[in-house]
Amino acid sequence: MPAQPASFRVAVEIVVNRPVAQVFAYLSDLRHDPQWWGGLHSSRRISGDGGVGTLYELDATLLRVRHRTRIEVTAQEPPRRQTITVRSGPLPYTAHYEWSELAPGRTRFGLVAEIVAARPWAWFGPLLSPLLSLLARRYFRRVPAIIEAATPA
């Protein structure tokens, strides 16, 4: 019997001690993702200028399986919101990014990813959601130190 697709959400929130525009510039450009997202070998922009319609190709490993994923920026309101959607790849998702100013020079970044895991990922069933949530929290914890070290206050 084939595994049914599993749908779930992953949510992460971090605070970065830098202005919204700087945090947006870094996190909205997926070419930076290999600096902090474990298992991501490369990310390159294959078309577009970073705004709506921009396509990225990612080379990643998830649960010891290496794959390529194409992601499109499907909505963007700089420097407050961005939505990206997987156009091809083994684990379809749409991720909604949101940036807000907590105080001058202090930014809250939130991510909500809506994931639809089909075979073979659906075979992991109820373990996949907590595993991806754990990985997302772990990797996003790296981001504030990277941005704060790379950009002046």
Side-chain angles (χ1 to χ4, degrees):
M1 173 183 275
Q4 296 298 315
S7 298
F8 54 90
R9 296 170 68 120
V10 171
V12 178
E13 187 174 292
I14 59 171
V15 174
V16 182
N17 292 316
R18 291 294 179 269
V20 171
Q22 288 180 351
V23 181
F24 176 87
Y26 181 82
L27 287 171
S28 67
D29 186 342
L30 276 60
R31 294 176 296 180
H32 294 130
D33 289 6
Q35 296 172 11
W36 57 272
W37 189 269
L40 187 54
H41 309 289
S42 68
S43 177
R44 65 184 184 97
R45 188 184 294 167
I46 56 176
S47 69
D49 61 2
V52 173
T54 297
L55 287 173
Y56 293 90
E57 184 174 76
L58 285 63
D59 177 19
T61 299
L62 178 61
L63 301 176
R64 299 184 185 218
V65 177
R66 192 151 182 179
H67 59 87
R68 291 200 183 276
T69 299
R70 284 205 175 182
I71 294 177
E72 180 181 1
V73 177
T74 54
Q76 191 177 73
E77 297 174 36
R80 300 292 179 202
R81 289 177 193 73
Q82 178 172 291
T83 300
I84 61 172
T85 302
V86 170
R87 292 301 183 208
S88 66
L91 192 61
Y93 65 87
T94 296
H96 305 281
Y97 296 173
E98 189 170 303
W99 294 263
S100 59
E101 183 179 73
L102 295 175
R106 190 167 166 83
T107 301
R108 183 196 67 81
F109 169 76
L111 158 75
V112 175
E114 300 164 349
I115 302 165
V116 179
R119 285 188 321 172
W121 305 107
W123 291 333
F124 292 98
L127 298 176
L128 190 58
S129 176
L131 174 64
L132 291 177
S133 293
L134 174 71
L135 290 174
R137 284 191 307 275
R138 177 186 300 163
Y139 297 147
F140 270 98
R141 276 195 295 251
R142 301 174 180 175
V143 171
I146 292 170
I147 295 175
E148 291 165 12
T151 58

